[in-house]
Amino acid sequence: MDDVLIVGAGPVGLMLACELGLSGVRPIVLEKRTEPSEQPRANGLGGQIIELLDHRGLLERFSEGSPFAGRAPGFPFGSVPLRFDGLDDIPLRLLLIQQPRVERLLAERAIELGAEIRRGCEVVSLAQDTEGVTLGLADGQVRRARYVVGCDGGRSLLRELAGIDFPGTTDDHVLRLGHFSTDGVADPFKPLELAGLEPGWNRTPRGRVLLTSLQHGVLIAGVREKGEPQDGPVTIEDFHAAVRRVLGRELPLGEPIWLSSTAAQARLAERYQAGRVFLAGDAAHLFPAGGSALNVGMTDAANLGWKLAAALHGRAPEGLLGTYEAERRPAAERALVQTRAQAALDRLDDEDGAALRELLAEVFAYEQPARHLATLLHGSDGRYGSAPHPLVGHFVPDLALKDGRRLAELMRAGRPVLLDLGGGAELDGAALDGSELDGSELGGRAEVGGGWIDVVSARADDPPADALLIRPDGYVAWAGSSGMPEAVSAWFTPSPA
C-alpha cells in the first residue's frame, strides 16, 4: 500500500509532493495528461506563497530570469488601480513566472525529494475503508494508499467520486484570452494606440478588451462578452470574431501562441475531507478574479503536507488532520470575499460602475486602505485560532539573527523549530540556556517532541517574544516564555495508542 497518492500534477499537487518529500514521505503523483502542459494559465505568483518558497530555499531558483520579483509596486483590484508607492513595509510580494515553469521547477524538486510522478494515469473510480483508499485507473490498474489528495482542478473528478459538493456561481460572461508573439515589433502597443485603445481594460457597450504585456515579445489580449465558454479549442478566427463583436473592428494582434476560453466561477467545497480523501487547490475552491488561486492553493499544500506526514509517521496528536479544513477553509472563504468584490467591480459596465471605480480609486490612494488591501491580497489578514500572544496563528516574521542568518533559513528542512531568543523559556521544567551559538551550531537538534523539533538558540534585535515554536508550514504555534510544553503536546506529540 502506498502512503499518499496525489491526483493532479499542477502547481498544488507538485507543491504537496515537495512538502511530503521534505518530511520523509514518498508520494506518488497521478496525472492524466501524458505530457506537462505548456499553457500559461497563470503568469505569476503573489502573496504568502513567496515567503514559503523562501523558507524552502526555492525562491532564488524560481526568481531566476523573472522580469519582476519583489515588493509589489501596485495591483489591479477589480480594474481599480492600487498603488503602494512609499509603503515599503507592506507584505505583498510578486514574482512574474509562467505556470509551465512553476510546474517544471516543482516537479524537479519533488523528484529530488523522492516523489514519483506518473503521467497518463487517469483516475476513474474511488473506494475507501478504515485502512485506506483504492483508486481505479482508466487502464485497468488499481492503486491503494493510506491517504489520497485531490489536486485535480476545478472540474475535480476525485471531489465528485468522494461525494463532496461544490456549491457556487458561474459568471454569465465568457473571457477569451490569448498570448500573441510580437517579436520584431519595436512597439507592440503603437498600432493599438492608433486604434484608440490603451494598455489595460478597454470598455465598450458590448464588452471589454484587455491589452497588456508581462514579458518582451508577448502581447496578452483578452475579450470579455456575454456568453458561455465554447466547446473545443479556441481558434484565431474565434478570437478575431469576438474582437469584432466587442470593438466593431479588427485588431493587429500578431501570431497566436496560446488561446483559451473560460467563465469565472466562485465556488467552495462543502468540506475539504471525506474520510481518508482530502482536497486542495482548485479542487477545493475557485475564485472569480485573478491573483489568489495559486497563493491559496499552494499554501493549502504546505498546511496539509506536514500534517499528513505526521499521521503517517505516527507522531500526530489527536485531531491534527482535522485542523487542515478548520484552518484552510476560512482562508478560502476570505479569498472568495475579496475576489467576489473584484469581480463585482469589474462587472459593472454602466455609468454607476464607472462612478464607483472612480470613487474607490480616490479611497485606495490613502495609506490605510492600501495597506489593508495589500494584506488581504497577500493572504495574511486571517489567523489560525486565537491565543494571548499576537504572533500565534500568524506566519512567522523573517527575523534577522545576530549571527548573520535569517529565520527563514532555519525552516529549510520543513521541520518544527523551537527558537529561543534568549528569554530562558522552559520546556518540561528544563530551561533552554539561550547561550550564544556560532553558525556551525545554529540549527542543532535536541530531543524535543521525540527528536522531531529543531531547537535553536540565537539572538535578534528587538525580538518579538522570548521564544517561538514554529510549525513546519511557517506558522507560529506558540510564543512567549511559559506554556511551551502544552503547545508541543497539542501540535507535535502523538496521541496515546
Side-chain angles (χ1 to χ4, degrees):
M1 182 186 295
D2 299 315
D3 282 332
V4 181
L5 291 172
I6 300 169
V7 181
V12 176
L14 294 170
M15 184 72 189
L16 178 58
C18 291
E19 292 294 293
L20 287 167
L22 204 59
S23 296
V25 176
R26 304 292 177 257
I28 296 176
V29 183
L30 304 177
E31 171 56 55
K32 68 178 181 180
R33 297 174 300 183
T34 57
E35 298 291 337
S37 173
E38 290 301 319
Q39 294 184 349
R41 290 188 292 265
N43 292 294
L45 298 173
Q48 209 161 62
I49 183 56
I50 295 180
E51 282 101 319
L52 185 62
L53 291 175
D54 190 17
H55 275 207
R56 296 301 183 249
L58 296 174
L59 186 56
E60 185 175 352
R61 192 186 303 190
F62 274 65
S63 301
E64 185 178 355
S66 171
F68 182 84
R71 199 75 63 183
F75 199 86
F77 190 89
S79 72
V80 179
L82 267 173
R83 299 299 307 174
F84 304 129
D85 301 320
L87 305 180
D88 296 333
D89 58 343
I90 64 164
L92 185 61
R93 297 166 70 186
L94 302 177
L95 171 62
L96 292 184
I97 179 173
Q98 291 194 325
Q99 186 165 327
R101 178 166 169 76
V102 172
E103 293 182 5
R104 283 195 296 273
L105 292 173
L106 288 174
E108 290 171 4
R109 181 57 175 157
I111 292 169
E112 288 172 6
L113 294 169
E116 185 178 347
I117 302 171
R118 299 187 180 183
R119 300 190 180 274
C121 295
E122 182 178 1
V123 174
V124 295
S125 68
L126 179 152
Q128 62 174 313
D129 51 45
T130 57
E131 300 297 323
V133 185
T134 302
L135 297 181
L137 306 184
D139 62 2
Q141 291 188 59
V142 174
R143 305 289 312 188
R144 184 162 168 79
R146 292 175 65 184
Y147 297 100
V148 170
V149 185
C151 303
D152 50 340
R155 298 179 181 178
S156 172
L157 177 62
L158 199 81
R159 182 186 62 235
E160 181 180 332
L161 293 173
I164 300 175
D165 288 340
F166 200 40
T169 59
T170 300
D171 194 0
D172 62 356
H173 281 65
V174 60
L175 172 65
R176 291 178 179 86
L177 193 65
H179 288 209
F180 299 86
S181 174
T182 60
D183 284 341
V185 178
D187 184 357
F189 288 114
K190 192 65 176 178
L192 306 174
E193 292 171 5
L194 294 175
L197 304 174
E198 58 184 28
W201 283 106
N202 296 262
R203 296 174 182 268
T204 80
R206 297 167 296 279
R208 286 177 288 151
V209 173
L210 169 69
L211 302 165
T212 190
S213 180
L214 298 175
Q215 61 183 22
H216 179 72
V218 177
L219 173 70
I220 300 176
V223 186
R224 188 175 187 272
E225 61 179 334
K226 201 171 184 63
E228 298 179 354
Q230 63 190 66
D231 294 328
V234 179
T235 67
I236 187 60
E237 290 77 16
D238 296 329
F239 200 92
H240 279 297
V243 170
R244 287 193 297 271
R245 286 193 298 271
V246 173
L247 281 184
R249 60 185 184 277
E250 298 282 357
L251 276 182
L253 295 172
E255 288 297 315
I257 301 170
W258 168 76
L259 299 169
S260 72
S261 169
T262 186
Q265 298 186 59
R267 298 187 180 277
L268 181 61
E270 65 170 1
R271 51 199 169 115
Y272 279 27
Q273 180 182 0
R276 291 178 171 267
V277 176
F278 294 83
L279 301 178
D282 286 356
H285 41 68
L286 288 174
F287 306 124
S292 296
L294 287 183
N295 184 38
V296 179
M298 293 173 72
T299 47
D300 284 347
N303 186 291
L304 179 60
W306 73 272
K307 296 173 182 177
L308 276 180
L312 289 163
H313 292 315
R315 58 190 181 213
E318 184 178 359
L320 181 66
L321 288 179
T323 66
Y324 168 62
E325 179 175 336
E327 292 179 343
R328 295 308 300 167
R329 199 170 186 278
E333 289 173 342
R334 191 62 176 153
L336 265 177
V337 167
Q338 57 98 345
T339 53
R340 280 185 184 274
Q342 289 192 59
L345 283 172
D346 244 358
R347 195 179 299 123
L348 297 171
D349 288 320
D350 56 11
E351 292 182 356
D352 291 342
L356 179 60
R357 284 186 290 273
E358 181 179 347
L359 182 60
L360 285 177
E362 295 176 11
V363 173
F364 292 174
Y366 288 95
E367 179 177 330
Q368 190 54 42
R371 285 186 182 280
H372 177 74
L373 290 175
T375 303
L376 190 65
L377 293 165
H378 180 254
S380 57
D381 62 312
R383 184 184 186 188
Y384 295 162
S386 61
H389 198 285
L391 273 182
V392 175
H394 288 292
F395 199 85
V396 66
D398 189 15
L399 302 176
L401 304 178
K402 283 192 173 181
D403 71 343
R405 291 194 183 189
R406 296 163 48 234
L407 187 147
E409 296 177 51
L410 306 181
M411 306 302 299
R412 299 286 160 85
R415 299 164 57 89
V417 171
L418 174 55
L419 178 61
D420 178 22
L421 293 166
E426 293 186 359
L427 178 64
D428 293 333
L432 295 171
D433 62 15
S435 58
E436 295 283 359
L437 299 179
D438 63 29
S440 64
E441 293 173 299
L442 189 62
R445 188 175 302 163
E447 286 298 318
V448 177
W452 184 29
I453 300 174
D454 288 345
V455 179
V456 177
S457 291
R459 294 291 188 273
D461 290 329
D462 193 23
D466 292 337
L468 300 174
L469 181 61
I470 309 165
R471 304 182 341 181
D473 59 355
Y475 277 78
V476 178
W478 168 89
S481 57
S482 63
M484 190 193 313
E486 291 81 1
V488 169
S489 177
W491 288 104
F492 306 120
T493 304
S495 302

